[in-house]
Amino acid sequence: MRYHCPPRPDDVSDPRSFVDRMRALKAWSGLTYREIAARAHQNGDTLPPSTLATVLGRATLPREDVVRAFVRVCGGKDEADAWLRARSGIARAAWTPAGLGGVPGPGGVPGPAPDDGEGTDGPHQLADAAVAAVFAAGCLTSWWCGKRLGSRAARRRHGQGTH
């Protein structure tokens, strides 16, 4: 039985329920992953079938761009704002002191909600950690080489060879 109106996220309050509602919207649309990807492409969005399958197979909050593209195809352009508001509310709730186990951020203020919706173990956080590690290694190497070169220059100035 197909309902006249598409499923909406109005009463969802957690990522799992949000994704469940997205699955319901896909089912309501009757579209396959490939059809959704093709229509998203026609709208100027990028939404590969593999990405969509991954998003709908997890219980974490999807990124805004994915939600926007998906809802534009499955539920209509007018529905996208409601979905993005619901997603934003869920993301904010996850980053409140209660959402963090009662541990507030610096100064007792909760930290900002992540924009990518991937949570603390998402690929963006992993990439950020990798960049930070490479940067730290470069700084340490530069410091070490500078220290060694500086020692050699000082010995030369004082008449001590580097032999």
Side-chain angles (χ1 to χ4, degrees):
M1 175 174 173
R2 185 171 159 140
Y3 296 98
H4 178 65
C5 296
R8 293 181 50 93
D10 298 334
D11 58 345
V12 297
S13 59
D14 62 276
R16 181 178 304 276
S17 299
F18 187 85
V19 174
D20 287 344
R21 197 62 55 90
M22 286 180 70
R23 282 190 214 105
L25 182 59
K26 180 191 175 296
W28 177 86
S29 74
L31 298 172
T32 66
Y33 290 129
R34 289 183 190 267
E35 290 170 331
I36 293 170
R39 290 185 184 187
H41 182 72
Q42 290 171 350
N43 288 341
D45 296 317
T46 302
L47 190 57
S50 58
T51 299
L52 186 55
T54 300
V55 164
L56 296 179
R58 295 192 304 190
T60 56
L61 203 56
R63 294 186 327 255
E64 283 186 17
D65 61 325
V66 171
V67 172
R68 182 180 297 110
F70 175 76
V71 173
R72 285 178 58 177
V73 170
C74 294
K77 293 178 183 180
D78 297 337
E79 297 291 319
D81 288 340
W83 283 83
L84 292 173
R85 275 192 307 275
R87 184 210 171 273
S88 185
I90 293 168
R92 267 194 312 275
W95 284 87
T96 61
L100 293 174
V103 181
V109 178
D115 191 32
D116 64 0
E118 292 291 336
T120 57
D121 59 344
H124 296 288
Q125 286 81 8
L126 184 59
D128 291 346
V131 168
V134 169
F135 179 75
C139 289
L140 183 60
T141 302
S142 176
W143 171 79
W144 179 255
C145 289
K147 182 177 177 179
R148 292 188 44 86
L149 290 174
S151 295
R152 287 182 183 164
R155 284 194 300 251
R156 279 193 206 118
R157 274 194 304 266
H158 295 297
Q160 302 169 349
T162 57
H163 316 305

